Amino acid sequence: MNGKKRIACFFTAGYTELNAMKDFMKKINMNAEYIQLCPTRARRSKEEIKNRHTNQIRENGLTGEALIDFIVDFVGKKRFKEEEYDALLIEDDKDDRFLSVQSDGTAVHDHDAWTGFKTRVKNRLKELCPEMPVIFFYAAPEVETWFLADFEHSFGNVYVSSNQLSREQNQYFVTKFRKHIKKWILTEKYQNCIEQYGYFGGTYRKLSEEIQNALNEIDFLEDYTAESKRMIIRYSKKIQGEAMLRQIKPETVESHCNVYFREGFLALHNLDNNPIQ
């Protein structure tokens, strides 16, 4: 035994989370051992081929209640008990859940809904593993919130680090794109409470789609030089998303995402201070 607490990790099965989420968690607490039970990575080495969980699940999009049902089913299996985990971590997108829509069509946190959801999940798991701590690590509304919270190490760096843009081009792009994000996507309503995004006029907008649409429709380098050609800058969850998740700093994200992210951050960070049940 290496003395590290073993954490059973169930991540939402998105492209961004598939290969990078476990490494991101290590930045928060490197003294734990993270066993990713969902989603399962593609086989890439002899070690992974030997992993008994590689055939468990590969489909993209396991989230919400489907993710919780999968976790309850997995925890109920005999082998889960045999593998002796010390904690269970659930990572998912919050999306449009746990929000209360106001009379002006925007939204605020619905803390009662969030607390009720966690209690219900814990009660389902308590029947199977009564003493095991459960860490809820939810991206509100999506993992892109974390990227905007640490813009310098996400959108501010990913295109220059991949050599798609020169440093000068990147500086110009970042200045214009960041202003667009604040004014037209987050708007004044959500600039300082990004985890409450994003109801507008009573209709929910997906943050990731708003970012992708902006990059598809607007050339943020159009005025860089008179001879500038249309620069094709895209945001892919699988490519740029994974790269950004590897680059962002959890401490920076926590300073801006002070509800859902902070709760998961502190629970994971402080796990060493809690005795193993």
Side-chain angles (χ1 to χ4, degrees):
M1 297 290 291
N2 57 18
K4 293 184 176 182
K5 291 186 178 180
R6 288 169 49 82
I7 303 179
C9 298
F10 297 89
F11 305 142
T12 183
Y15 284 121
T16 301
E17 296 84 1
L18 178 61
N19 295 313
M21 186 59 72
K22 188 166 76 168
D23 290 337
F24 180 73
M25 296 299 169
K26 289 179 182 178
K27 297 180 189 179
I28 300 172
N29 188 338
M30 62 181 297
N31 296 316
E33 182 180 0
Y34 301 87
I35 297 87
Q36 182 172 326
L37 303 177
C38 174
T40 307
R41 306 178 189 206
R43 296 181 178 182
R44 295 178 180 174
S45 67
K46 291 182 179 179
E47 181 179 351
E48 288 179 329
I49 290 174
K50 293 178 182 178
N51 188 323
R52 76 175 72 180
H53 303 297
T54 52
N55 292 319
Q56 185 63 43
I57 181 170
R58 288 194 181 88
E59 62 264 28
N60 185 58
L62 193 63
T63 186
E65 291 301 319
L67 177 61
I68 299 302
D69 290 342
F70 174 83
I71 294 170
V72 172
D73 178 71
F74 198 107
V75 172
K77 296 182 184 300
K78 179 180 178 182
R79 71 180 187 189
F80 183 85
K81 183 176 181 180
E82 293 175 344
E83 289 167 2
E84 299 182 342
Y85 295 105
D86 302 303
L88 190 151
L89 187 149
I90 305 171
E91 184 277 326
D92 195 8
D93 289 342
K94 180 185 73 65
D95 292 315
D96 59 346
R97 296 177 290 169
F98 321 126
L99 290 173
S100 176
V101 181
Q102 306 300 289
S103 58
D104 64 355
T106 61
V108 296
H109 296 301
D110 188 334
H111 296 284
D112 290 341
W114 173 236
T115 300
F117 167 77
K118 291 187 295 181
T119 299
R120 178 169 56 81
V121 173
K122 286 181 179 179
N123 286 339
R124 292 183 68 184
L125 292 170
K126 183 179 289 188
E127 298 178 3
L128 304 169
C129 47
E131 304 300 324
M132 185 172 295
V134 179
I135 299 172
F136 294 86
F137 215 123
Y138 274 53
E142 301 174 74
V143 71
E144 284 74 18
T145 310
W146 304 354
F147 301 157
L148 297 186
D150 188 5
F151 198 92
E152 178 184 354
H153 294 103
S154 59
F155 290 101
N157 182 66
V158 71
Y159 299 106
V160 68
S161 64
S162 63
N163 298 317
Q164 185 173 352
L165 298 178
S166 68
R167 290 192 179 280
E168 291 76 15
Q169 287 173 324
N170 191 67
Q171 184 175 1
Y172 188 89
F173 163 76
V174 166
T175 299
K176 294 192 69 175
F177 185 54
R178 194 168 195 170
K179 287 181 179 179
H180 180 87
I181 290 285
K182 288 184 176 181
K183 183 176 182 178
W184 298 108
I185 296 182
L186 296 180
T187 74
E188 291 185 3
K189 169 61 183 179
Y190 298 112
Q191 284 183 23
N192 298 317
C193 54
I194 191 171
E195 288 186 302
Q196 294 184 161
Y197 187 92
Y199 272 95
F200 296 85
T203 300
Y204 181 73
R205 300 178 188 172
K206 281 187 67 67
L207 180 59
S208 57
E209 291 180 0
E210 293 295 307
I211 291 172
Q212 289 170 331
N213 291 340
L215 289 171
N216 288 338
E217 297 169 4
I218 302 172
D219 183 357
F220 290 96
L221 283 165
E222 183 179 9
D223 301 321
Y224 180 68
T225 66
E227 299 80 19
S228 177
K229 295 182 180 180
R230 176 73 160 98
M231 295 291 296
I232 306 300
I233 300 175
R234 296 287 186 263
Y235 168 64
S236 161
K237 285 176 171 285
K238 186 174 184 178
I239 301 173
Q240 286 82 19
E242 179 178 329
M244 288 191 280
L245 188 56
R246 295 187 185 280
Q247 295 171 2
I248 59 174
K249 309 298 182 184
E251 294 79 9
T252 303
V253 178
E254 189 265 342
S255 68
H256 295 280
C257 300
N258 54 20
V259 180
Y260 298 94
F261 185 90
R262 178 173 291 174
E263 178 179 331
F265 176 91
L266 292 176
L268 181 57
H269 185 270
N270 297 330
L271 187 62
D272 295 337
N273 300 325
N274 299 323
I276 296 178
Q277 299 290 341

